[in-house]
Amino acid sequence: MEAKQCLSSERKNKMKIALASDHAGFAYKEKVKEFLTSNNISFEDFGTSSLESCDYPDFSHTASVAIQKGICERGIFICGTGIGMSIVANKHKGIRAAVCESVLSVQYTRQHNDANVLCFGARITEWNIAEQMLKTFIETEFEGGRHAKRVEKIHLLTKM
């Protein structure tokens, strides 16, 4: 199934992406920066800045807060598997982080869950697939409709 291509060039140019990684995701984060730059999409890099061992919660938290505050619209978080980054991100109100390993899962999480953070693992996702996932994450819009009610239910859970 092909991703819905809905974002105009103007919309993409206004989007700002929060980037975060730990040491395992650092090399991929640098490739993501190249991808975003070549597609005229702005971003803010919340770290890490090297291959030196570090704690993923620090970077996922800071980038998630930037999305909460409206500094960035969406996020791309990378660690070894994507799981740790997503666990931390989903602790933040308003964040809908999804760990994805395929283009189709990215498409559906944008269309049906309005995921605003894509998490993936540098140790388990080949770069050519990751690059396709990035394109899909950026270009696929939320469908709304019956899915909007479900996303609202997710946000109501944070009040419990």
Side-chain angles (χ1 to χ4, degrees):
M1 183 178 283
E2 187 150 330
K4 197 190 244 185
Q5 309 290 314
C6 294
L7 290 182
S8 67
S9 293
E10 181 181 327
R11 173 92 166 84
K12 282 192 266 188
N13 291 340
K14 290 181 180 179
M15 183 184 298
K16 188 171 186 180
I17 305 286
L19 297 179
S21 76
D22 66 357
H23 55 283
F26 174 72
Y28 268 27
K29 181 174 61 74
E30 295 303 299
K31 288 183 174 190
V32 170
K33 288 164 55 172
E34 291 174 16
F35 173 86
L36 295 173
T37 299
S38 70
N39 285 283
N40 298 314
I41 299 167
S42 64
F43 60 86
E44 188 164 339
D45 185 346
F46 291 92
T48 191
S49 58
S50 75
L51 293 170
E52 186 176 328
S53 183
C54 61
D55 298 329
Y56 63 83
D58 300 334
F59 306 103
S60 183
H61 168 68
T62 305
S64 295
V65 169
I67 296 167
Q68 281 183 305
K69 291 183 175 181
I71 296 166
C72 296
E73 183 177 335
R74 295 186 194 167
I76 299 169
F77 300 178
I78 310 158
C79 61
T81 63
I83 297 167
M85 288 288 215
S86 72
I87 290 170
V88 174
N90 282 317
K91 296 285 185 185
H92 296 78
K93 184 176 181 178
I95 300 296
R96 293 171 308 283
V99 180
C100 295
E101 295 179 25
S102 71
V103 174
L104 190 59
S105 62
V106 174
Q107 177 185 336
Y108 281 127
T109 200
R110 282 290 309 130
Q111 289 175 335
H112 297 183
N113 310 117
D114 197 18
N116 54 4
V117 176
L118 170 62
C119 300
F120 63 93
R123 292 180 177 150
I124 59 176
T125 307
E126 295 201 23
W127 176 250
N128 64 327
I129 301 298
E131 193 171 33
Q132 293 172 41
M133 289 168 37
L134 295 170
K135 185 177 192 301
T136 301
F137 180 69
I138 291 162
E139 294 181 345
T140 304
E141 288 286 359
F142 178 50
E143 287 181 350
R146 71 184 191 277
H147 304 295
K149 175 180 73 170
R150 296 168 186 160
V151 170
E152 181 57 30
K153 285 183 177 187
I154 293 169
H155 288 286
L156 291 173
L157 295 173
T158 60
K159 296 177 183 174
M160 297 179 88

